[in-house]
Each structure stands twice: as structure tokens, then as C-alpha cells.
Amino acid sequence: MRTERVRVASLGGVSLFDDVGAKAQQAVAPLAVRMRPRTLDDVVGQQHLLGPTTPLRRMVDSPHSAVSSIFLWGPPGTGKTTLAYVISQATDKLFVELSAVSAGVKEVRQVLDDARQQLVMYGKQTVLFIDEVHRFSKTQQDALLPAVENRLVTLIAATTENPYFSVISPLLSRSLLLTLQPLSDDDVRAVVRRALTDDHGLASKYKLDQDAEDQLVRMAGGDARRALTYLEAAAAGADQTITLEILATAVDRAAVRYDRDGDQHYDVASAFIKSIRGSDADAGLHYLARMIEAGEDPRFIARRLVILASEDIGMADPTALQTAVAAYHAVAFIGFPEASLTLAHAVVALATAPKSNAVTTAIGAALDDVRRGLVGTVPPHLRDSHYAGAKKLDHGVGYLYPHDDPVGVVEQQYAPDAVKGRTYYQPTNRGAERTTAERLARIRAVLRGESLRGESCDDSR
């Protein structure tokens, strides 16, 4: 059965799902719109959502199935609107689109009233697609709740923001949450190549040079819509062949030569880390900018910063690791372009922090001893004593509980005999590690019986 697709007139413009509007605008529609898949089999990427038993596949293949409402969460250009469009093409339900940017409570209630009328008078169900649902206020979301709960409408809502923060819990708990992943480079490349040859796209009128294609894929950053927008802009300035220079001019940004799988990738990443290790915040920001412009995965950049925080800063500034980890989590849920601010924040913080590799050296020395066989047995007084018969084996006997001592540190052997007295961690006098070094010296003196009993190990002694 042919789908009826409607728009809400008060929103202005023509809906992507309006038959008349789609035909009228086909000739001037953006390439990204013209290339939108028409079936689930045409969708590139998101295969984890498109299997034979997934909710989306059931919604399309079994129009009468009672599929719950769905939230599609993912970065821009990953196919949220595309999936809604495919469902609109395949289902025999009435398909209505709302944009959270411009729709208010009045429009929402009007759609729900129309859906109720369609169901009562014609037995026809309604699928309601809401783009950018995170822009809906709590009042607007509350208005949807009864209709979703009673399945008056099947809601398909798209959002680029974490719905656990932007969608009310009652609405989210009554819906399926499907997470879309950024498209891989191969996925974006497939989209670009299809657009070059497809009759709805550029219809084989242009050739795309390999280096231009590689750069286009990098600049897309997993966003298919961005890739097609850049491709269309470049085609407008080309005769028959789209070169790297034409692409760079079309998108008004430098075509940074940077191979994510080659030498440039590793060279720039290496220079990035070494600049921060060397406390040059400006150079660090330069290499960060190069990676951002080249379409580097922001998570890769953030992971390198997390490693650096322990490897090159360590205890000289214990908050550096917290900053790096926070940056990684922030990047994971906001993505580019805003993630560039978070990464820059972390780069400056880590570059200007005091540096120490004492922790790195310490674990390296400890690992080296273990690999050379210096392990030994655990001293009896440290062994587990929480089982029947442990005391007969003298396990736990003689253990001194540090909290019972006013200093909080007692003379006691913790290391096995094979490495007794070994000193792995050698703190520097830089940053917070200077204070750590002073306190650690007092602690080691107590542990080894070299300090007067009762001498405080605290900094406030």
C-alpha cells in the first residue's frame, strides 16, 4: 500500500516526506537529499540496527507489527533522518513529520488529535517523526507521553544529544533507544562513489581524483551528509575532474596532507605528544589543529592525552589524568566541532603542567624485576587469613594494622624477600611531586625502621 506522507502546514516549507513537495523540489534538492536511500538495503553503515530481527527491520518488513516507539541517537550525518525516510517509504501507516526547532505544543497536540481521528474513522495508524527531539521542552515531551504510552502514534525521534540528559525519563522508558555509530571511512567512501555514478546524484558526469577522494573522506569525519555537501560544492567548480585543489577551494579550507593510515598520521601524532611533553602549548595546539582539519578521530586524540597524563606528568600534577579522562568522555558524547574546544582545553592544561616520568620509570623497573624472576613468596603475615585453618599455617600472624598506629604507618615488610628494599618510585622535585617526595621519604623511613616511632608522615607535621 502506498504511504500517505503529510507535513504540518504551520511549520512552513515542504516536508521531506511530502510527495508533491518532493517532486517539485527534486531538480533543485541538495545532493544529500537526492541520494537518500529508499530502502533499508540501500542504507550504508549501521548494520547493527538493520539485521533481520531488529526493530527497524520489523517495522519496515512487517507494517502491522506492534513496534514500540524508537529514539535514534547518533552524530550528525549518520542516517537518522534517512532511516525515518525509509520507514516512511515502506510502511502503510500515515507518516507525519515535525521539527522540534519550530514546532510547539499546539502543533504536537494537533498532530495527536489528527492521529486519533485517523485511527477512529479509518483504522489507520500514524507514525510521527520528530527531528532534533532534544530541542523539545519538558512540556512538549509531556504532551507526547499519553499518545506514546497508548500507541496512538508510533514515535520515531531523532537526536544528536544524549537522550538520558535531554529526554524525560517516562518517555524514554516507553521507547526503544537505538544508537547510531559514526560512519567508517569505507562507509563514507561508498556513499561518495555511489553519488558520483547514481542517476539521482552526479550521474557519472565527474571523475574524482584519488587524493581528492581521500581528503573528502577525511574531512567528512564520519558524516555522510557533510561528504555529499562537499562533493556537490566541488563539482560545481569542476569541468569533468574534481582535483584536490578544486576540493580545497570549494570547501574553503586547506587540504591538509595527512594520511590517517600512513606516515603523516604517526608523524603528526608523535610531534603532538612530544610538543606537550616539552611543555610547548602552542606547538601542541598547532598539531591538534592539523589533526582536526584532517578529520582525525577525536577519540584517538583524547586517548593519546590520557596516556600522556600518566606517562609524562604523573604525580607532578595528579589532576592531569582527571583532566585527560574528562576530556575523553566529553569528546565521546559531543563530537566535532565542539570537541575541538575540549581537546584544546586539555592540550593547554597538560602542556603547562609540571612534568615527571617517575611513575613511568617506576612501573618499568618493577616489571623488569618480575620478568627476571624476582617474585618470591608473599610474606606470611600478609597472606589471606579469612578462612578456616589459616592460623594453623601462620597466615596473617604478626600483621600490624596501620590504622591502629597514631602515625598511620608502621614498621613492617610488605615486599617479598626477593625484592626487599628495592626502590622503584623515585619522585622528582617538580610540581606536586616535590611534596610527595618529602612525604614518601618519611614513610619509607618508618617502614624500614629508620625513623623514630611516633614521627608524623603527614605534610602538616
Side-chain angles (χ1 to χ4, degrees):
M1 180 180 293
R2 184 171 180 79
T3 305
E4 292 182 47
R5 294 179 293 280
V6 300
R7 61 183 173 87
V8 178
S10 60
L11 298 185
V14 179
S15 166
L16 292 174
F17 309 106
D18 186 297
D19 281 334
V20 177
K23 292 176 181 177
Q25 294 192 6
Q26 182 64 31
V28 296
L31 180 61
V33 174
R34 302 201 306 271
M35 288 304 302
R36 181 163 283 127
R38 290 158 177 77
T39 69
L40 284 185
D41 294 332
D42 294 333
V43 175
V44 175
Q46 313 306 338
Q47 295 306 305
H48 63 292
L49 301 180
L50 304 178
T53 61
T54 59
L56 284 179
R57 182 67 69 172
R58 292 201 308 271
M59 181 178 284
V60 170
D61 293 345
S62 304
H64 297 290
S65 64
V67 177
S68 301
S69 294
I70 293 175
F71 277 81
L72 301 173
W73 173 33
T78 52
K80 299 182 295 296
T81 305
T82 289
L83 291 176
Y85 177 75
V86 168
I87 293 171
S88 80
Q89 293 286 89
T91 183
D92 63 351
K93 299 177 182 178
L94 184 68
F95 200 98
V96 180
E97 178 199 10
L98 280 177
S99 173
V101 175
S102 51
V105 175
K106 179 181 178 181
E107 286 79 15
V108 171
R109 288 175 176 165
Q110 182 62 55
V111 168
L112 298 182
D113 288 342
D114 292 344
R116 185 177 293 104
Q117 186 177 16
Q118 288 287 333
L119 185 62
V120 171
M121 296 183 63
Y122 307 107
K124 195 169 189 63
Q125 294 180 310
T126 298
V127 173
L128 172 59
F129 173 64
I130 300 179
D131 197 15
E132 299 189 79
V133 69
H134 56 272
R135 295 179 181 269
F136 262 5
S137 66
K138 182 179 183 297
T139 302
Q140 290 168 299
Q141 294 182 37
D142 282 337
L144 288 170
L145 189 57
V148 170
E149 186 171 23
N150 298 323
R151 289 191 175 172
L152 174 63
V153 297
T154 297
L155 174 67
I156 302 179
T159 178
T160 57
E161 297 191 6
N162 190 330
Y164 289 106
F165 299 137
S166 57
V167 178
I168 61 174
S169 297
L171 185 58
L172 194 58
S173 67
R174 289 164 174 79
S175 308
L176 293 176
L177 175 59
L178 304 181
T179 304
L180 283 74
Q181 302 297 331
L183 299 183
S184 68
D185 285 356
D186 288 341
D187 290 336
V188 175
R189 199 178 301 273
V191 170
V192 168
R193 291 179 177 177
R194 180 187 295 176
L196 284 167
T197 59
D198 194 282
D199 289 340
H200 292 96
L202 300 180
S204 300
K205 295 178 182 178
Y206 301 91
K207 177 184 176 182
L208 181 64
D209 282 353
Q210 186 60 54
D211 57 351
E213 179 184 280
D214 293 340
Q215 181 63 17
L216 179 60
V217 171
R218 284 193 292 270
M219 290 191 300
D223 186 328
R225 182 168 54 244
R226 183 187 301 170
L228 293 177
T229 299
Y230 289 167
L231 176 62
E232 186 175 28
D239 291 329
Q240 291 182 322
T241 302
I242 301 173
T243 65
L244 183 62
E245 290 71 24
I246 291 175
L247 176 65
T249 301
V251 300
D252 194 28
R253 68 198 327 188
V256 181
R257 292 189 177 275
Y258 178 93
D259 181 358
R260 283 174 61 180
D261 297 315
D263 291 342
Q264 282 293 313
H265 166 82
Y266 296 106
D267 287 347
V268 172
S270 175
F272 174 63
I273 293 302
K274 289 173 181 174
S275 297
I276 301 173
R277 178 185 297 145
S279 300
D280 192 332
D282 300 307
L285 289 171
H286 167 77
Y287 291 116
L288 172 63
R290 285 175 64 168
M291 289 189 283
I292 291 172
E293 283 298 292
E296 183 59 82
D297 185 345
R299 293 168 298 181
F300 165 79
I301 302 173
R303 283 196 298 270
R304 297 302 306 168
L305 294 176
V306 171
I307 295 169
L308 178 140
S310 291
E311 181 180 11
D312 295 304
I313 299 175
M315 291 296 292
D317 182 356
T319 67
L321 181 59
Q322 299 172 22
T323 299
V325 171
Y328 178 84
H329 287 302
V331 162
F333 68 74
I334 63 176
F336 282 145
E338 290 84 356
S340 61
L341 302 175
T342 302
L343 291 171
H345 176 168
V347 165
V348 172
L350 300 187
T352 56
K355 305 297 188 298
S356 170
N357 70 341
V359 170
T360 302
T361 302
I363 187 60
L367 287 170
D368 184 59
D369 274 357
V370 170
R371 288 163 182 164
R372 290 190 297 114
L374 295 178
V375 287
T377 60
V378 175
H381 58 281
L382 299 184
R383 296 179 189 176
D384 182 18
S385 60
H386 295 86
Y387 62 94
K391 289 186 178 180
K392 294 180 181 180
L393 299 174
D394 289 334
H395 288 185
V397 175
Y399 172 66
L400 301 177
Y401 190 54
H403 293 294
D404 290 339
D405 189 273
V407 175
V409 182
V410 297
E411 180 184 351
Q412 185 163 235
Q413 180 181 340
Y414 292 97
D417 288 339
V419 291
K420 180 181 178 181
R422 300 281 286 188
T423 300
Y424 296 117
Y425 178 47
Q426 304 274 10
T428 70
N429 64 351
R430 297 190 288 272
E433 203 164 37
R434 175 183 299 176
T435 302
T436 300
E438 295 171 355
R439 182 168 187 271
L440 183 58
R442 296 193 297 273
I443 291 174
R444 284 172 173 165
V446 173
L447 292 174
R448 297 168 183 176
E450 301 168 358
S451 174
L452 295 176
R453 186 169 182 80
E455 183 177 338
S456 174
C457 294
D458 294 333
D459 299 327
S460 57
R461 70 190 192 286

